[in-house]
Coordinates of all heavy atoms in Angstrom, one line a residue:
M4 N 54.2 -65.8 32.5 CA 52.9 -65.5 32.1 C 53.0 -64.6 30.8 O 53.9 -63.8 30.7 CB 52.2 -64.7 33.2 CG 50.8 -64.4 33.0 SD 50.0 -63.4 34.3 CE 50.5 -64.3 35.7
W5 N 52.1 -64.8 29.9 CA 52.1 -64.1 28.7 C 50.6 -64.0 28.3 O 49.8 -64.8 28.7 CB 52.8 -64.9 27.6 CG 53.2 -64.1 26.3 CD1 52.5 -64.1 25.2 CD2 54.3 -63.3 26.1 NE1 53.1 -63.3 24.3 CE2 54.2 -62.8 24.8 CE3 55.3 -62.9 26.9 CZ2 55.1 -61.9 24.3 CZ3 56.3 -62.0 26.4 CH2 56.2 -61.5 25.1
G6 N 50.3 -63.0 27.5 CA 48.9 -62.8 27.0 C 48.8 -62.4 25.6 O 49.7 -61.9 25.0
S7 N 47.7 -62.7 25.0 CA 47.3 -62.4 23.6 C 46.0 -61.6 23.6 O 45.2 -61.9 24.5 CB 47.2 -63.6 22.7 OG 48.5 -64.2 22.6
I8 N 45.8 -60.8 22.6 CA 44.6 -60.1 22.4 C 43.5 -61.1 22.0 O 43.8 -61.9 21.2 CB 44.8 -59.0 21.4 CG1 45.7 -57.9 21.9 CG2 43.4 -58.3 21.0 CD1 46.1 -56.9 20.9
Y9 N 42.3 -60.9 22.5 CA 41.2 -61.7 22.1 C 40.7 -61.3 20.7 O 40.2 -60.2 20.5 CB 40.1 -61.6 23.1 CG 38.9 -62.5 22.8 CD1 38.9 -63.8 23.3 CD2 37.9 -62.1 21.9 CE1 37.8 -64.7 23.0 CE2 36.9 -63.0 21.6 CZ 36.8 -64.2 22.1 OH 35.8 -65.1 21.8
N10 N 40.9 -62.2 19.7 CA 40.2 -62.0 18.4 C 40.0 -63.5 17.9 O 40.5 -64.4 18.5 CB 41.0 -61.1 17.4 CG 42.4 -61.7 17.1 OD1 42.6 -62.9 17.0 ND2 43.3 -60.7 17.0
S11 N 39.3 -63.6 16.8 CA 38.9 -65.0 16.4 C 40.2 -65.8 16.0 O 40.2 -67.0 16.3 CB 37.9 -65.0 15.2 OG 38.5 -64.3 14.1
Q12 N 41.2 -65.2 15.4 CA 42.4 -65.9 15.0 C 43.2 -66.4 16.2 O 43.6 -67.5 16.4 CB 43.2 -65.1 14.1 CG 44.5 -65.8 13.6 CD 45.3 -65.0 12.7 OE1 45.0 -63.8 12.4 NE2 46.5 -65.5 12.3
N13 N 43.4 -65.4 17.1 CA 44.2 -65.8 18.4 C 43.4 -66.8 19.2 O 44.0 -67.7 19.7 CB 44.5 -64.5 19.2 CG 45.5 -63.6 18.5 OD1 46.2 -64.0 17.6 ND2 45.6 -62.4 19.1
F14 N 42.1 -66.6 19.4 CA 41.3 -67.5 20.2 C 41.3 -68.9 19.7 O 41.4 -69.9 20.4 CB 39.9 -67.0 20.4 CG 39.1 -67.9 21.3 CD1 39.3 -67.8 22.6 CD2 38.1 -68.7 20.8 CE1 38.5 -68.6 23.5 CE2 37.4 -69.5 21.6 CZ 37.6 -69.5 22.9
S15 N 41.2 -69.1 18.3 CA 41.2 -70.4 17.7 C 42.4 -71.2 18.0 O 42.4 -72.4 18.2 CB 40.9 -70.3 16.2 OG 42.0 -69.8 15.6
K16 N 43.6 -70.5 18.1 CA 44.8 -71.2 18.4 C 45.0 -71.4 19.9 O 45.4 -72.4 20.3 CB 46.0 -70.4 17.8 CG 46.0 -70.3 16.3 CD 47.1 -69.4 15.8 CE 46.9 -69.4 14.3 NZ 47.8 -68.4 13.7
W17 N 44.7 -70.4 20.7 CA 44.8 -70.4 22.1 C 44.0 -71.5 22.8 O 44.4 -72.2 23.6 CB 44.4 -69.0 22.7 CG 44.4 -68.9 24.2 CD1 45.5 -68.7 25.0 CD2 43.3 -69.1 25.0 NE1 45.1 -68.7 26.3 CE2 43.7 -68.9 26.3 CE3 42.0 -69.4 24.8 CZ2 42.9 -69.0 27.4 CZ3 41.1 -69.5 25.9 CH2 41.6 -69.3 27.2
K18 N 42.8 -71.7 22.3 CA 41.9 -72.7 22.9 C 42.3 -74.1 22.7 O 41.9 -75.0 23.4 CB 40.4 -72.5 22.4 CG 40.2 -73.0 20.9 CD 38.8 -72.8 20.5 CE 38.6 -73.3 19.1 NZ 37.2 -73.3 18.7
E19 N 43.2 -74.3 21.7 CA 43.8 -75.7 21.5 C 45.0 -76.0 22.4 O 45.5 -77.1 22.4 CB 44.2 -75.8 20.0 CG 43.0 -75.7 19.1 CD 41.9 -76.7 19.2 OE1 42.3 -77.9 19.5 OE2 40.7 -76.3 19.1
L20 N 45.5 -75.0 23.0 CA 46.7 -75.2 23.9 C 46.4 -76.1 25.1 O 45.3 -76.1 25.6 CB 47.3 -73.9 24.4 CG 47.8 -72.9 23.4 CD1 48.1 -71.6 24.0 CD2 49.0 -73.5 22.7
K21 N 47.4 -77.0 25.4 CA 47.2 -77.8 26.6 C 48.5 -77.9 27.4 O 49.6 -77.7 26.9 CB 46.7 -79.2 26.2 CG 47.5 -80.0 25.2 CD 46.8 -81.2 24.7 CE 47.6 -81.9 23.7 NZ 48.0 -81.2 22.5
K22 N 48.3 -78.3 28.6 CA 49.5 -78.4 29.5 C 50.5 -79.3 28.9 O 50.2 -80.4 28.4 CB 49.0 -78.9 30.9 CG 50.1 -79.0 31.9 CD 49.6 -79.4 33.3 CE 50.8 -79.5 34.3 NZ 50.3 -79.8 35.6
G23 N 51.8 -78.9 29.0 CA 52.9 -79.6 28.4 C 53.3 -79.2 27.0 O 54.3 -79.6 26.5
D24 N 52.4 -78.4 26.3 CA 52.8 -77.9 25.0 C 54.1 -77.1 25.1 O 54.3 -76.4 26.1 CB 51.7 -77.1 24.4 CG 50.5 -77.9 23.8 OD1 50.7 -79.2 23.8 OD2 49.5 -77.3 23.5
I25 N 54.8 -77.1 24.0 CA 56.0 -76.2 24.0 C 55.6 -74.9 23.2 O 55.1 -75.0 22.1 CB 57.2 -76.9 23.3 CG1 57.6 -78.1 24.1 CG2 58.3 -76.0 23.0 CD1 58.6 -79.0 23.4
L26 N 55.9 -73.8 23.8 CA 55.6 -72.5 23.2 C 56.9 -71.9 22.7 O 57.9 -72.0 23.4 CB 55.0 -71.6 24.3 CG 53.7 -72.1 25.0 CD1 53.3 -71.1 26.1 CD2 52.6 -72.4 24.0
L27 N 56.8 -71.3 21.6 CA 57.9 -70.6 21.0 C 57.6 -69.1 20.9 O 56.5 -68.8 20.4 CB 58.3 -71.2 19.6 CG 58.7 -72.6 19.6 CD1 58.8 -73.1 18.1 CD2 60.0 -72.8 20.3
F28 N 58.5 -68.3 21.2 CA 58.3 -66.8 21.2 C 59.2 -66.2 20.1 O 60.4 -66.5 20.1 CB 58.6 -66.2 22.5 CG 57.6 -66.6 23.6 CD1 57.8 -67.8 24.3 CD2 56.4 -65.9 23.8 CE1 56.9 -68.2 25.2 CE2 55.5 -66.3 24.8 CZ 55.8 -67.5 25.5
Y29 N 58.6 -65.5 19.2 CA 59.3 -65.0 18.0 C 59.4 -63.5 18.0 O 58.4 -62.8 18.3 CB 58.5 -65.4 16.8 CG 59.1 -65.3 15.4 CD1 60.1 -66.2 15.0 CD2 58.7 -64.2 14.6 CE1 60.7 -66.1 13.7 CE2 59.3 -64.1 13.3 CZ 60.3 -65.0 12.9 OH 60.8 -64.9 11.7
H30 N 60.6 -62.9 17.7 CA 60.8 -61.5 17.7 C 62.0 -61.1 16.8 O 63.0 -61.8 16.8 CB 61.1 -61.0 19.2 CG 61.3 -59.5 19.3 ND1 60.3 -58.6 19.1 CD2 62.4 -58.8 19.6 CE1 60.7 -57.4 19.3 NE2 62.0 -57.5 19.6
N31 N 61.8 -60.1 16.0 CA 62.9 -59.7 15.1 C 63.4 -60.8 14.2 O 64.6 -61.0 14.1 CB 64.0 -59.0 15.8 CG 63.7 -57.7 16.4 OD1 62.8 -57.0 15.9 ND2 64.4 -57.3 17.4
K32 N 62.4 -61.6 13.6 CA 62.7 -62.6 12.7 C 63.5 -63.8 13.2 O 64.2 -64.5 12.5 CB 63.5 -62.0 11.5 CG 62.6 -61.0 10.7 CD 63.3 -60.5 9.5 CE 62.4 -59.5 8.8 NZ 63.0 -59.0 7.6
K33 N 63.4 -64.0 14.5 CA 64.0 -65.2 15.1 C 63.3 -65.6 16.4 O 62.6 -64.8 17.0 CB 65.5 -65.0 15.4 CG 65.8 -64.0 16.5 CD 67.3 -63.9 16.7 CE 67.6 -63.1 17.9 NZ 69.0 -63.1 18.3
Y34 N 63.4 -66.9 16.7 CA 62.9 -67.4 17.9 C 63.8 -67.0 19.1 O 65.0 -67.3 19.0 CB 62.7 -68.9 17.9 CG 61.6 -69.3 16.9 CD1 61.9 -69.8 15.6 CD2 60.3 -69.2 17.2 CE1 60.9 -70.1 14.7 CE2 59.3 -69.5 16.3 CZ 59.6 -69.9 15.1 OH 58.6 -70.2 14.2
I35 N 63.2 -66.4 20.1 CA 64.0 -65.9 21.2 C 63.9 -66.7 22.5 O 64.7 -66.6 23.4 CB 63.8 -64.4 21.5 CG1 62.3 -64.2 21.8 CG2 64.2 -63.6 20.3 CD1 61.9 -62.9 22.3
T36 N 62.8 -67.4 22.7 CA 62.5 -68.1 23.9 C 61.6 -69.3 23.6 O 60.7 -69.2 22.7 CB 61.8 -67.2 24.9 OG1 62.6 -66.0 25.2 CG2 61.5 -67.8 26.2
S37 N 61.8 -70.3 24.4 CA 60.8 -71.5 24.4 C 60.4 -71.7 25.8 O 61.1 -71.3 26.8 CB 61.4 -72.7 23.8 OG 62.5 -73.2 24.6
A38 N 59.2 -72.3 26.0 CA 58.7 -72.6 27.4 C 57.7 -73.7 27.3 O 57.2 -74.0 26.2 CB 58.0 -71.3 27.9
I39 N 57.5 -74.4 28.4 CA 56.6 -75.4 28.5 C 55.3 -74.9 29.2 O 55.4 -74.3 30.3 CB 57.1 -76.6 29.3 CG1 58.4 -77.1 28.5 CG2 56.1 -77.7 29.4 CD1 59.2 -78.2 29.3
L40 N 54.2 -75.1 28.6 CA 52.9 -74.5 29.1 C 52.4 -75.2 30.3 O 52.4 -76.5 30.3 CB 51.9 -74.6 28.0 CG 50.5 -74.1 28.3 CD1 50.5 -72.6 28.5 CD2 49.5 -74.5 27.2
E41 N 52.1 -74.5 31.3 CA 51.5 -75.0 32.5 C 50.0 -74.9 32.5 O 49.3 -75.8 33.0 CB 52.0 -74.2 33.7 CG 51.5 -74.7 35.1 CD 51.9 -76.1 35.4 OE1 53.0 -76.6 34.9 OE2 51.2 -76.8 36.1
G42 N 49.4 -73.8 31.9 CA 48.0 -73.7 31.8 C 47.6 -72.4 31.1 O 48.4 -71.6 30.7
T43 N 46.3 -72.3 30.9 CA 45.7 -71.1 30.2 C 44.5 -70.6 31.0 O 43.9 -71.3 31.8 CB 45.2 -71.5 28.8 OG1 44.2 -72.4 28.9 CG2 46.4 -72.0 27.9
E44 N 44.2 -69.3 30.8 CA 43.1 -68.7 31.4 C 42.6 -67.5 30.5 O 43.4 -66.7 30.1 CB 43.4 -68.2 32.8 CG 42.3 -67.6 33.6 CD 42.7 -67.3 35.0 OE1 43.7 -67.8 35.5 OE2 41.9 -66.5 35.6
H45 N 41.3 -67.4 30.3 CA 40.8 -66.3 29.6 C 40.2 -65.4 30.7 O 39.2 -65.7 31.3 CB 39.6 -66.7 28.6 CG 39.1 -65.5 27.9 ND1 37.9 -65.6 27.2 CD2 39.5 -64.2 27.8 CE1 37.6 -64.4 26.7 NE2 38.6 -63.6 27.0
N46 N 40.9 -64.3 31.0 CA 40.6 -63.5 32.1 C 40.9 -62.0 31.9 O 42.0 -61.5 32.1 CB 41.4 -63.9 33.3 CG 41.0 -63.3 34.6 OD1 40.5 -62.2 34.7 ND2 41.1 -64.1 35.7
P47 N 39.9 -61.2 31.4 CA 40.1 -59.8 31.1 C 40.4 -59.0 32.3 O 41.2 -58.1 32.2 CB 38.7 -59.4 30.5 CG 38.0 -60.6 30.1 CD 38.6 -61.7 30.9
E48 N 39.8 -59.3 33.5 CA 40.1 -58.6 34.7 C 41.6 -58.7 35.1 O 42.2 -57.7 35.5 CB 39.2 -59.1 35.9 CG 37.8 -58.7 35.7 CD 37.0 -59.7 34.8 OE1 37.5 -60.8 34.5 OE2 35.9 -59.4 34.3
L49 N 42.1 -59.9 35.0 CA 43.5 -60.2 35.4 C 44.4 -59.4 34.3 O 45.4 -58.8 34.7 CB 43.9 -61.6 35.4 CG 45.3 -62.0 35.7 CD1 45.8 -61.4 37.1 CD2 45.5 -63.5 35.7
A50 N 44.1 -59.5 33.1 CA 44.9 -58.8 32.0 C 44.9 -57.3 32.3 O 46.0 -56.7 32.2 CB 44.3 -59.1 30.7
D51 N 43.8 -56.7 32.6 CA 43.7 -55.3 32.9 C 44.6 -55.0 34.1 O 45.3 -54.0 34.1 CB 42.3 -54.9 33.1 CG 42.1 -53.4 33.1 OD1 42.8 -52.7 32.4 OD2 41.2 -52.9 33.9
Y52 N 44.5 -55.8 35.1 CA 45.3 -55.5 36.3 C 46.8 -55.6 36.0 O 47.6 -54.8 36.5 CB 44.9 -56.5 37.4 CG 45.8 -56.5 38.6 CD1 45.6 -55.5 39.6 CD2 46.8 -57.4 38.8 CE1 46.4 -55.4 40.7 CE2 47.6 -57.3 40.0 CZ 47.4 -56.3 40.9 OH 48.2 -56.3 42.0
L53 N 47.2 -56.6 35.3 CA 48.6 -56.9 35.0 C 49.2 -55.9 33.9 O 50.3 -55.3 34.1 CB 48.9 -58.3 34.5 CG 48.6 -59.4 35.5 CD1 48.7 -60.7 34.7 CD2 49.7 -59.3 36.6
W54 N 48.5 -55.7 32.8 CA 49.0 -55.0 31.7 C 48.3 -53.8 31.3 O 48.7 -53.0 30.4 CB 49.2 -55.9 30.5 CG 50.0 -57.1 30.8 CD1 51.3 -57.2 31.1 CD2 49.6 -58.5 30.7 NE1 51.7 -58.5 31.3 CE2 50.7 -59.3 31.1 CE3 48.4 -59.1 30.5 CZ2 50.6 -60.7 31.1 CZ3 48.3 -60.5 30.5 CH2 49.4 -61.3 30.9
G55 N 47.0 -53.6 31.8 CA 46.2 -52.5 31.3 C 45.7 -52.7 29.9 O 45.8 -53.8 29.3
K56 N 45.2 -51.6 29.4 CA 44.7 -51.7 28.0 C 45.8 -51.5 27.0 O 46.8 -50.8 27.3 CB 43.7 -50.5 27.8 CG 42.6 -50.5 28.8 CD 41.4 -51.4 28.5 CE 40.2 -51.2 29.3 NZ 40.2 -51.7 30.7
K57 N 45.8 -52.2 25.9 CA 46.8 -52.2 24.9 C 46.8 -50.8 24.2 O 47.9 -50.2 24.0 CB 46.6 -53.3 23.8 CG 47.6 -53.2 22.7 CD 47.4 -54.3 21.7 CE 48.4 -54.4 20.6 NZ 48.4 -53.2 19.8
D58 N 45.6 -50.3 24.0 CA 45.5 -49.0 23.3 C 44.2 -48.4 23.6 O 43.4 -48.9 24.3 CB 45.8 -49.1 21.8 CG 44.9 -50.1 21.1 OD1 43.8 -50.3 21.6 OD2 45.4 -50.7 20.1
E59 N 43.9 -47.3 22.9 CA 42.6 -46.6 23.2 C 41.4 -47.4 22.7 O 40.3 -47.1 23.1 CB 42.6 -45.2 22.5 CG 42.8 -45.2 21.0 CD 44.2 -45.3 20.6 OE1 45.1 -45.1 21.4 OE2 44.4 -45.6 19.4
S60 N 41.6 -48.5 22.0 CA 40.5 -49.3 21.6 C 40.0 -50.2 22.7 O 38.9 -50.8 22.6 CB 40.9 -50.2 20.4 OG 41.8 -51.2 20.9
G61 N 40.8 -50.3 23.8 CA 40.3 -51.0 25.0 C 40.8 -52.5 24.9 O 40.4 -53.3 25.8
K62 N 41.5 -52.9 23.9 CA 41.9 -54.3 23.7 C 42.9 -54.6 24.8 O 43.7 -53.8 25.2 CB 42.5 -54.6 22.4 CG 41.5 -54.4 21.3 CD 42.1 -54.7 19.9 CE 41.1 -54.6 18.8 NZ 41.6 -54.8 17.5
M63 N 42.8 -55.8 25.3 CA 43.8 -56.3 26.4 C 44.3 -57.7 26.0 O 43.8 -58.4 25.2 CB 43.0 -56.4 27.7 CG 42.5 -55.1 28.2 SD 41.7 -55.3 29.8 CE 40.2 -56.1 29.2
F64 N 45.4 -58.0 26.7 CA 46.0 -59.3 26.5 C 45.4 -60.4 27.4 O 46.0 -60.9 28.3 CB 47.6 -59.2 26.7 CG 48.2 -58.2 25.9 CD1 48.7 -57.0 26.3 CD2 48.4 -58.5 24.5 CE1 49.3 -56.1 25.5 CE2 49.1 -57.6 23.7 CZ 49.5 -56.4 24.2
E65 N 44.1 -60.7 27.1 CA 43.3 -61.4 28.0 C 43.3 -62.9 27.8 O 42.8 -63.7 28.6 CB 41.8 -60.9 27.9 CG 41.2 -61.1 26.6 CD 39.9 -60.3 26.5 OE1 39.9 -59.1 26.4 OE2 38.8 -61.0 26.6
L66 N 43.9 -63.4 26.7 CA 44.1 -64.8 26.5 C 45.5 -65.2 27.1 O 46.5 -65.1 26.5 CB 44.1 -65.2 25.0 CG 42.8 -64.8 24.3 CD1 42.9 -65.1 22.8 CD2 41.6 -65.6 24.9
I67 N 45.5 -65.6 28.4 CA 46.7 -65.8 29.2 C 47.2 -67.2 29.1 O 46.4 -68.1 29.2 CB 46.4 -65.3 30.6 CG1 45.9 -63.8 30.6 CG2 47.6 -65.4 31.5 CD1 45.4 -63.3 31.9
V68 N 48.5 -67.3 29.1 CA 49.2 -68.6 29.2 C 50.2 -68.5 30.4 O 50.8 -67.4 30.7 CB 50.0 -69.0 27.9 CG1 49.0 -69.2 26.8 CG2 51.0 -68.0 27.5
F69 N 50.3 -69.6 31.1 CA 51.2 -69.6 32.3 C 52.3 -70.6 32.0 O 52.1 -71.7 31.5 CB 50.4 -70.1 33.5 CG 49.3 -69.2 33.9 CD1 48.0 -69.4 33.5 CD2 49.5 -68.0 34.7 CE1 46.9 -68.6 33.8 CE2 48.5 -67.2 35.0 CZ 47.2 -67.5 34.6
M70 N 53.5 -70.2 32.4 CA 54.7 -71.1 32.3 C 55.5 -70.9 33.6 O 55.8 -69.8 33.9 CB 55.5 -70.7 31.1 CG 54.8 -70.7 29.8 SD 55.3 -69.3 28.7 CE 54.8 -67.9 29.6
P71 N 55.9 -72.0 34.3 CA 56.7 -71.8 35.4 C 58.1 -71.3 35.0 O 58.6 -71.7 33.9 CB 56.8 -73.1 36.1 CG 56.3 -74.1 35.0 CD 55.5 -73.3 34.1
P72 N 58.8 -70.5 35.8 CA 60.1 -70.0 35.4 C 61.1 -71.1 35.0 O 61.9 -70.9 34.2 CB 60.6 -69.2 36.6 CG 59.3 -68.8 37.3 CD 58.3 -69.9 37.0
S73 N 61.0 -72.2 35.7 CA 61.9 -73.3 35.4 C 61.8 -73.9 34.1 O 62.6 -74.7 33.6 CB 61.8 -74.4 36.5 OG 60.5 -74.9 36.5
S74 N 60.6 -73.6 33.4 CA 60.4 -74.2 32.1 C 60.6 -73.2 30.9 O 60.3 -73.5 29.8 CB 59.0 -74.7 32.0 OG 58.0 -73.7 31.8
V75 N 61.2 -72.0 31.2 CA 61.4 -71.0 30.2 C 62.9 -71.0 29.9 O 63.8 -70.9 30.7 CB 61.0 -69.6 30.8 CG1 61.3 -68.5 29.7 CG2 59.5 -69.6 31.1
F76 N 63.2 -71.2 28.6 CA 64.5 -71.3 28.1 C 64.8 -70.2 27.1 O 64.1 -70.1 26.1 CB 64.8 -72.7 27.5 CG 64.4 -73.8 28.4 CD1 63.2 -74.4 28.3 CD2 65.3 -74.2 29.4 CE1 62.8 -75.4 29.2 CE2 64.9 -75.2 30.3 CZ 63.7 -75.8 30.2
N77 N 65.8 -69.3 27.4 CA 66.1 -68.2 26.5 C 67.3 -68.5 25.6 O 67.7 -67.7 24.8 CB 66.4 -67.0 27.3 CG 65.2 -66.5 28.1 OD1 64.1 -66.5 27.5 ND2 65.4 -66.2 29.3
E78 N 67.9 -69.6 25.7 CA 69.1 -69.9 25.0 C 68.9 -71.1 24.0 O 68.1 -72.0 24.3 CB 70.3 -70.3 25.9 CG 70.6 -69.1 26.9 CD 71.6 -69.5 27.9 OE1 72.2 -70.6 27.8 OE2 71.9 -68.7 28.8
D79 N 69.6 -71.1 22.9 CA 69.6 -72.2 22.0 C 68.2 -72.5 21.4 O 67.8 -73.7 21.4 CB 70.3 -73.4 22.6 CG 71.7 -73.2 23.0 OD1 72.4 -72.5 22.2 OD2 72.1 -73.8 24.0
V80 N 67.5 -71.5 21.1 CA 66.2 -71.7 20.4 C 66.4 -71.8 18.9 O 66.7 -70.8 18.3 CB 65.2 -70.6 20.8 CG1 63.8 -70.9 20.2 CG2 65.0 -70.5 22.3
N81 N 66.3 -73.0 18.4 CA 66.5 -73.1 16.9 C 65.2 -73.1 16.2 O 64.2 -73.7 16.6 CB 67.2 -74.5 16.6 CG 68.7 -74.4 17.2 OD1 69.3 -73.4 17.1 ND2 69.1 -75.6 17.7

């Protein structure tokens, strides 16, 4: 499970995701993980329960994506 903050840029990309898409996770100038998307959910209550508020502005990682553990790959991400 992963989440993004709700804003127009993130939402416009998140809403186009569909089951089976390959997700790439980028950190420190390199791709560190890939995963196959199982589903999405816009759920502020779940985000607050899982991660709380990001900062004092009240933003949360409410644009949620789901990936089964068997579809997450941490090695050989080119």
Side-chain angles (χ1 to χ4, degrees):
M4 186 181 312
W5 194 263
S7 293
I8 294 171
Y9 183 93
N10 62 37
S11 60
Q12 181 180 358
N13 289 347
F14 182 74
S15 68
K16 294 174 183 171
W17 175 86
K18 72 178 182 175
E19 299 297 322
L20 295 173
K21 58 189 176 304
K22 184 177 180 174
D24 282 351
I25 296 173
L26 305 176
L27 297 172
F28 296 86
Y29 192 77
H30 182 69
N31 289 336
K32 300 183 180 183
K33 68 177 187 173
Y34 291 102
I35 58 167
T36 302
S37 64
I39 300 170
L40 181 66
E41 181 65 27
T43 62
E44 183 175 345
H45 181 193
N46 191 327
E48 293 81 16
L49 179 59
D51 189 36
Y52 174 78
L53 292 171
W54 303 298
K56 308 278 190 282
K57 179 181 181 295
D58 55 29
E59 59 278 346
S60 71
K62 294 180 181 178
M63 294 179 290
F64 300 107
E65 61 191 79
L66 301 175
I67 300 171
V68 297
F69 299 97
M70 304 143 295
S73 62
S74 78
V75 178
F76 306 98
N77 296 316
E78 300 173 5
D79 299 324
V80 180
N81 294 324

